[in-house]
């Protein structure tokens, strides 16, 4: 089986034979073997040489940032990744003391989560870079539509719960940025986040909608007991971590229920 086939059909195969909870360890690192995402060529024999080039580029960019005193040895690693990304995309601020833009906050949240999954700093930067580019390019049109899709599927699963959110004027104030821009970085623990991001990398950002729906369904009793938008949003921004794996498994079931399989729908 080719690496491309492994990337696209590994999850589907496990799920089709009934193992939807199988851990897909380091699945995001498959990005490093994906030619269509522009990190490595399709021919495996070229990988070592290209990885050497990538490491050299990483070191060159890092050196440039140190020369202009944008980063130091004391700069947190995730901020280093951000400054590298800004420099390469032509968006490096004139001073590191300038306030961060919303897109920078998203990058840092994703980088912090990715740092927990990938040990090597060079690999980690390239995966973050690719993941963020995928969100900004491939899913640029889809992501703004996710809140509406969330409302649609929540209505199908539990219309009473949706009505409660509307009654409390909470629907427009839910943590959509945390869910759909940050892809649950800072909301779900690493083990659960890997399984969600594996779907995103494989071609479906709609999985994010079903994770959000399942969070509401899982904590329905708690949410129904809250009577203000502020309280509901605060709770959803800091959900208990011990239910995360079960939430993701049920979200994947919902995804298959509404979108089918094996096609990864955006």
């Amino acid at each position: 089986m080719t690496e491309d086939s492994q990337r696209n059909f590994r999850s589907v195969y496990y799920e089709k034979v009934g193992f939807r909870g199988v851990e897909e360890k380091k699945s995001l690192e498959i990005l490093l073997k994906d030619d269509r995402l522009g990190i490595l060529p399709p021919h495996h024999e070229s990988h070592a040489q290209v990885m050497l080039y990538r490491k050299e580029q990483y070191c060159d960019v890092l050196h440039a940032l140190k020369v202009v005193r944008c980063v130091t040895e004391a700069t947190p690693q995730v901020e280093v990744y951000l400054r590298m990304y800004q420099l390469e995309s032509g968006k490096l601020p004139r001073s590191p003391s300038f306030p961060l833009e919303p897109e920078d906050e998203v990058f840092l949240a994703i980088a912090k989560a990715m740092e927990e999954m990938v040990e090597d700093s060079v690999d980690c930067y390239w995966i973050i870079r690719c993941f963020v580019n995928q969100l900004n390019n491939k899913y640029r049109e889809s992501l703004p539509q996710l809140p509406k899709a969330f409302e649609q599927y929540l209505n199908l699963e539990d219309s009473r719960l949706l009505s409660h959110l509307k009654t409390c004027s909470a629907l427009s104030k839910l943590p959509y940025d945390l869910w759909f821009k940050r892809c649950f970085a800072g909301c779900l623990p690493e083990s659960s986040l890997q399984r969600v991001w594996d779907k995103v990398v494989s071609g479906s950002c709609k999985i994010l909608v079903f994770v959000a729906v399942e969070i509401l369904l899982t904590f329905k009793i708690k949410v129904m007991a809250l009577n203000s938008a502020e309280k509901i949003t605060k709770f959803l921004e800091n959900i208990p971590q011990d239910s995360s794996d079960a939430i993701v498994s049920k979200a994947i079931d919902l995804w298959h229920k509404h979108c089918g399989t094996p096609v990864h729908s955006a």
Side-chain angles (χ1 to χ4, degrees):
M1 180 179 289
T2 65
E3 297 293 350
D4 185 60
S5 298
Q6 179 189 8
R7 182 180 70 84
N8 285 301
F9 302 113
R10 183 186 64 258
S11 300
V12 174
Y13 172 75
Y14 285 144
E15 291 160 5
K16 195 170 184 179
V17 297
F19 292 100
R20 293 182 183 170
V22 172
E23 182 183 14
E24 294 152 340
K25 187 65 175 175
K26 295 188 180 300
S27 58
L28 291 169
E29 294 192 45
I30 293 174
L31 280 171
L32 291 172
K33 302 174 183 177
D34 190 325
D35 60 304
R36 287 179 296 177
L37 292 177
I39 293 183
L40 283 177
H43 302 294
H44 184 74
E45 58 270 19
S46 303
H47 290 188
Q49 187 64 38
V50 173
M51 280 308 301
L52 178 60
Y53 292 150
R54 295 306 189 196
K55 184 173 183 179
E56 290 175 351
Q57 184 175 341
Y58 175 94
C59 293
D60 288 344
V61 174
L62 180 57
H63 177 69
L65 289 172
K66 289 180 178 178
V67 168
V68 298
R69 299 180 181 178
C70 191
V71 302
T72 67
E73 296 297 333
T75 304
Q77 189 63 45
V78 291
E79 186 178 334
V80 172
Y81 293 146
L82 172 63
R83 300 309 180 190
M84 292 178 69
Y85 184 76
Q86 289 176 328
L87 180 58
E88 291 198 288
S89 57
K91 297 180 180 179
L92 186 68
R94 285 178 291 176
S95 169
S97 62
F98 283 11
L100 294 174
E101 298 292 333
E103 63 186 48
D104 300 331
E105 299 285 2
V106 170
F107 184 99
L108 287 174
I110 291 173
K112 185 176 180 180
M114 198 75 78
E115 190 179 37
E116 297 298 316
M117 303 179 196
V118 185
E119 295 178 3
D120 183 81
S121 59
V122 177
D123 286 353
C124 189
Y125 171 68
W126 282 102
I127 296 174
I128 295 167
R129 183 179 186 270
C130 181
F131 189 76
V132 170
N133 283 340
Q134 186 177 24
L135 295 178
N136 292 340
N137 297 318
K138 180 176 180 179
Y139 297 138
R140 182 178 56 187
E141 303 297 330
S142 300
L143 291 177
Q145 307 302 319
L146 297 189
K148 192 65 178 178
F150 164 80
E151 180 180 350
Q152 172 191 345
Y153 289 114
L154 182 60
N155 184 54
L156 292 173
E157 292 297 321
D158 196 320
S159 58
R160 182 166 173 261
L161 182 52
L162 177 62
S163 295
H164 176 69
L165 294 177
K166 290 181 176 180
T167 300
C168 296
S169 300
L171 191 60
S172 63
K173 300 178 182 178
L174 297 179
Y176 294 124
D177 283 358
L178 173 65
W179 292 348
F180 304 143
K181 290 187 177 180
R182 302 188 183 196
C183 300
F184 294 96
C187 176
L188 298 177
E190 174 196 341
S191 60
S192 303
L193 200 58
Q194 282 192 36
R195 297 171 62 201
V196 175
W197 285 6
D198 181 73
K199 307 299 182 188
V200 175
V201 168
S202 297
S204 174
C205 66
K206 191 173 282 186
I207 184 64
L208 302 173
V209 170
F210 295 108
V211 174
V213 169
E214 187 55 46
I215 286 174
L216 266 296
L217 296 177
T218 297
F219 298 110
K220 175 181 176 178
I221 295 177
K222 175 68 176 179
V223 172
M224 294 290 285
L226 299 174
N227 55 12
S228 74
E230 291 73 19
K231 290 179 181 179
I232 291 173
T233 300
K234 184 177 180 180
F235 171 75
L236 293 175
E237 287 176 339
N238 299 278
I239 61 172
Q241 301 287 290
D242 54 359
S243 302
S244 297
D245 284 342
I247 287 172
V248 172
S249 293
K250 292 177 181 178
I252 292 172
D253 287 339
L254 281 179
W255 180 51
H256 287 300
K257 172 184 174 182
H258 291 286
C259 297
T261 180
V263 178
H264 286 78
S265 57

